[in-house]
Amino acid sequence: MKNLVVVSCVSDDRKAPLSVYILNNYRKDVVEGVEKYASGLDADIMYLLPEGQKVEGLEGDVRYTCACSPTLNNPYSVVQVLSGNLPRPMIQDDFVAVYEDKAVSVITPEVAYGIVNGLEEKFVAVNVGDATEIKKVKVGTTVNEVVDIADAKAVLFGGLKGEFVTVAEAAGLKIEALEKYNSITVYSKQDCMVDACVQLMNAAYEDSCGKCVLCREGTSQFKQIVTEMTTGKAKITDIDLVKEVSELISIGAYCPFGQNMTKPLTTAMNLFEDEFEDHIKRKTCKCGKCYKAAELYFIDPDECQGCGDCIDACPEDAIEGKDGYIHIIDQDLCEQCGKCVSACDEGCIKTATKLPKLPKKKTKVGKW
Ligand code: SF4
Ligand code: SF4
Ligand code: SF4
């Protein structure tokens, strides 16, 4: 059986899109590294790129996929995508992934670059605010030399699978040839760490391939719990719950993504305990990010005409009512998306930080 080496450019962290950058800017080195690697395996070569990405001068077998996933550094997951299926990894030492009668192995552009140039250099995606800059730095360079963190609040190393560290600790770190240094994200003093964790857990939920229950349910539940911390619905016991469940997930999830995706949240909880407690116990956000989300939606019982137009607009099925009766929003289900507001021609869906008196049982329009 001949072999196949797939150069996967679709397994990056969304905030650290290193592969296409390296391929575009160091194509000759990458191609040389891939050819060296493939010749040792007597393998054909295929490049797998994100849909819509073109790499000037790249020759040979180039395929495209819209299925960017952290699991696409796994040969079985790559074979699934090449076969038109969803990306799903297989983690077994003795498992051989096969595509068109060829045994598949996977390499990234960064590894191929390293085969030619050694491991003295490292590509790092530096995220500050909404801007991402990819830098090539010497291994051993201090983080301080790569990005100015003097006025920062925290630094996340490793993106969705990474860990938050304090600025003081980050300043003393040196870049190593490890995946953790693929991505450095700087959070400023204006950034709310609970809100930051909401964004990270939303992205982790999007990236989970859903193959194993711990990661699929874990990302979904954690996304919900941390969102509730920003809307006044969480309990203080949720902090310990998240930490305990994280340990189980880190042991039981199937692939490295699931095993590590809770780390940003748990490390943020450890470093910024007061900030999380402020949100949960005192329902305050000192950065002013989460209060807006804590606005509660309600239907004004004096104005509702009982037409039901708002029900279909609600993606959470949070609106209850029937024709001719005053409609009610179930606050446990409402996610404060605001979609119902424009569905009500009468303008009777309103917001407040504290709910007014509302019907507790079915009430006919005009009887309130
Ligand atoms: S841990 Fe997550 S990403 Fe990995 S196989 Fe399981 S569901 Fe998929
Ligand atoms: S809230 Fe508006 S859209 Fe919904 S039932 Fe009442 S009047 Fe109709
Ligand atoms: S704000 Fe969104 S979730 Fe809440 S009731 Fe309206 S449509 Fe539903």
Side-chain angles (χ1 to χ4, degrees), residues 201-202 204-206 208 213-228 249 261 335:
M201 287 316 304
N202 282 345
Y205 173 72
E206 294 288 321
S208 168
V213 70
L214 279 172
C215 174
R216 186 177 66 238
E217 287 302 311
T219 50
S220 168
Q221 297 290 324
F222 282 18
K223 165 174 125 65
Q224 183 175 343
I225 290 173
V226 73
T227 301
E228 286 178 353
I249 295 174
M261 60 78 188
E335 293 287 341

Side-chain angles (χ1 to χ4, degrees), residues 18-34 47 55-56 58 109-110 112-114 116-117 121-123 134-137:
L18 297 181
S19 294
V20 173
Y21 173 87
I22 298 169
L23 195 49
N24 262 315
N25 290 279
Y26 302 92
R27 178 178 47 80
K28 269 179 74 179
D29 286 352
V30 172
V31 168
E32 189 183 331
V34 171
Y47 287 82
V55 176
E56 226 36 64
L58 190 62
E110 183 171 33
Y113 178 91
V116 174
N117 297 291
E121 293 170 327
K122 170 92 191 134
F123 291 92
I134 295 174
K135 300 183 178 186
K136 187 169 74 167
V137 301

Side-chain angles (χ1 to χ4, degrees), residues 251-360:
I251 297 165
Y254 196 62
C255 82
F257 175 76
Q259 289 154 10
N260 293 295
M261 60 78 188
T262 63
K263 282 187 183 163
L265 177 56
T266 52
T267 51
M269 282 176 167
N270 288 337
L271 288 181
F272 299 96
E273 205 177 339
D274 291 352
E275 205 165 321
F276 278 82
E277 284 191 9
D278 273 350
H279 280 72
I280 300 168
K281 282 187 186 166
R282 291 170 275 285
K283 305 196 190 311
T284 58
C285 172
K286 289 192 175 127
C287 301
K289 287 253 161 81
C290 305
Y291 258 126
K292 291 174 206 129
E295 288 225 310
L296 302 168
Y297 284 76
F298 70 99
I299 295 173
D300 189 332
D302 292 322
E303 296 178 18
C304 178
Q305 300 301 309
C307 68
D309 289 352
C310 51
I311 290 183
D312 289 342
C314 177
E316 307 298 329
D317 288 332
I319 302 180
E320 296 164 10
K322 60 178 190 174
D323 269 4
Y325 283 78
I326 294 168
H327 285 47
I328 300 168
I329 294 177
D330 183 334
Q331 297 299 326
D332 287 336
L333 297 178
C334 177
E335 293 287 341
Q336 290 92 28
C337 70
K339 288 182 181 156
C340 53
V341 175
S342 52
C344 177
D345 290 340
E346 307 298 324
C348 41
I349 303 183
K350 301 174 179 175
T351 59
T353 48
K354 192 163 177 281
L355 291 177
K357 192 164 175 248
L358 296 169
K360 289 204 169 35

Side-chain angles (χ1 to χ4, degrees), residues 177-220:
L178 299 173
E179 193 188 350
K180 138 178 178 180
Y181 293 101
N182 281 8
S183 159
I184 300 177
T185 308
V186 179
Y187 288 84
S188 79
K189 293 199 170 82
Q190 286 74 44
D191 288 323
C192 164
M193 300 315 292
V194 186
D195 177 62
C197 287
V198 172
Q199 314 307 325
L200 290 163
M201 287 316 304
N202 282 345
Y205 173 72
E206 294 288 321
D207 275 2
S208 168
C209 80
K211 176 168 179 159
C212 54
V213 70
L214 279 172
C215 174
R216 186 177 66 238
E217 287 302 311
T219 50
S220 168

